[in-house]
């Protein structure tokens, strides 16, 4: 017997928020500041996509 589970797509904004809040806890900076920095920075590897 196999069961099929539906997985929800995760948006980039939710990933940014999760990374920013985790980093804010570790560094003591504000979540909004870190989230803005993440959205503003251009990656050296922007041409690559995650699997």
């Amino acid at each position: 017997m196999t069961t099929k589970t539906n997985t929800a797509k995760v948006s980039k904004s939710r990933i940014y928020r999760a990374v920013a809040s985790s980093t804010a806890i570790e560094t003591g900076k504000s979540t909004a500041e870190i989230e803005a920095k993440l959205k503003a920075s251009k990656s050296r590897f922007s041409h690559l996509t995650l699997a």
Side-chain angles (χ1 to χ4, degrees):
M1 177 196 270
T2 59
T3 59
K4 187 175 180 179
T5 58
N6 293 336
T7 56
K9 294 275 184 174
V10 179
S11 66
K12 283 187 177 183
S13 62
R14 293 190 82 173
I15 292 173
Y16 284 138
R17 177 61 55 96
V19 171
S21 63
S22 174
T23 304
I25 291 169
E26 292 177 5
T27 61
K29 295 183 180 179
S30 73
T31 304
E33 177 185 342
I34 296 169
E35 191 172 353
K37 186 180 280 190
L38 285 172
K39 288 180 180 178
S41 67
K42 301 296 180 194
S43 173
R44 294 187 311 179
F45 305 106
S46 63
H47 62 283
L48 301 176
T49 57
L50 296 176

